[in-house]
């Protein structure tokens, strides 16, 4: 995949989370920590394929950056990622030419899904093929899950959890990795929520052998590839 994403974020920790999550998805990630730096990168001859833009920046704000880009004829997709979550601010961002709007705190699963969707809408990425682990099939674009050909009804969080497990099939994931990826980097609730949702997922997905979701005591969980 030769797609470059520009992450414009002045918080070093959040910038690291964004870059790590998107690099794991196969994208190249460039980073900017200010509006001026973002404008310099996005108006250069080699422009990024998508911009993730914070609103609250230390110099030129994200709304102004987006406005300047659109006035200059730059059509690169823009996804606002910000703690500013009022309806009026969302409307303002979209009116200025943004293509999507995600509020903080966010889950990296949601962010990656929004990025994939934007890239497909702009013709820069093909539709993702459904993923299969034995007789378990998940289509993230259509938001569908089947087991042995039978549809499985999942809540949005259950779907995000299963998608993360399937994407990392065969790999042991710690509870904290799951929390960061599915619930968001700033989740401050009880970590036992992971056990609760894994249990719910098992009741819906692992209703017949071979079971796929295995607990690794003292570590976390793994979705086993196993046999069909």
């Amino acid at each position: 995949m030769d797609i470059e994403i520009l992450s414009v974020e002045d918080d070093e920790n959040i910038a690291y989370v964004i870059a790590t999550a998107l690099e794991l998805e196969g994208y190249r990630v460039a980073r900017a920590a200010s509006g001026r730096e973002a404008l310099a990168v996005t108006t250069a001859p080699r422009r990024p394929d998508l911009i993730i833009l914070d609103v609250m920046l230390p110099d030129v704000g994200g709304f102004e950056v987006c406005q300047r880009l659109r006035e200059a004829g730059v059509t690169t997709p823009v996804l606002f990622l910000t703690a500013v979550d009022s309806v009026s601010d969302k409307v303002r961002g979209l009116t200025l030419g943004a293509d999507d709007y995600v509020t903080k705190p966010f889950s990296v699963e949601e962010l990656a899904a929004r990025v994939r969707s934007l890239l497909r809408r702009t013709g820069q990425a093909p539709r993702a093929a459904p993923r299969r682990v034995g007789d378990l099939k998940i289509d993230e674009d259509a938001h569908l899950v089947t087991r042995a050909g039978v549809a499985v009804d999942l809540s949005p969080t259950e779907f995000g959890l299963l998608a993360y497990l399937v994407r990392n099939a065969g790999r042991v994931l710690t509870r904290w990795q799951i929390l960061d990826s599915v619930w968001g980097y700033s989740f401050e609730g009880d970590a036992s929520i992971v056990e609760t949702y894994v249990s719910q997922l098992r009741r819906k997905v692992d209703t017949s052998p071979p079971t796929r979701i295995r607990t690794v005591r003292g570590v976390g969980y793994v979705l086993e590839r196993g046999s069909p």
Side-chain angles (χ1 to χ4, degrees), residues 62-72 80 92 96-97:
F63 287 143
E64 185 176 345
V65 169
C66 184
Q67 183 175 9
R68 288 193 195 179
L69 290 176
R70 296 306 184 233
E71 288 175 350
F80 276 125
R92 181 185 177 193
L96 288 172

Side-chain angles (χ1 to χ4, degrees), residues 58-100:
D59 50 4
V60 182
F63 287 143
E64 185 176 345
V65 169
C66 184
Q67 183 175 9
R68 288 193 195 179
L69 290 176
R70 296 306 184 233
E71 288 175 350
V74 176
T75 59
T76 304
V78 172
L79 185 155
F80 276 125
L81 181 65
T82 177
V84 180
D85 62 354
S86 69
V87 173
S88 60
D89 282 313
K90 290 181 181 179
V91 170
R92 181 185 177 193
L94 296 172
T95 301
L96 288 172
D99 299 271
D100 204 350

Side-chain angles (χ1 to χ4, degrees), residues 27 112-128 140-142:
Y27 304 112
R114 297 290 190 97
V115 166
R116 287 193 298 270
S117 177
L118 262 183
L119 290 171
R120 285 194 302 274
R121 276 162 47 190
T122 55
Q124 298 177 78
R127 186 181 185 280
E140 294 189 52
D141 289 341

Side-chain angles (χ1 to χ4, degrees), residues 10 13 19 29 32 53 105 108 148 176 195 218 225:
D10 63 321
N13 291 330
V29 181
L53 181 60
V108 294
W176 293 111
E195 286 87 356
R225 297 182 181 279

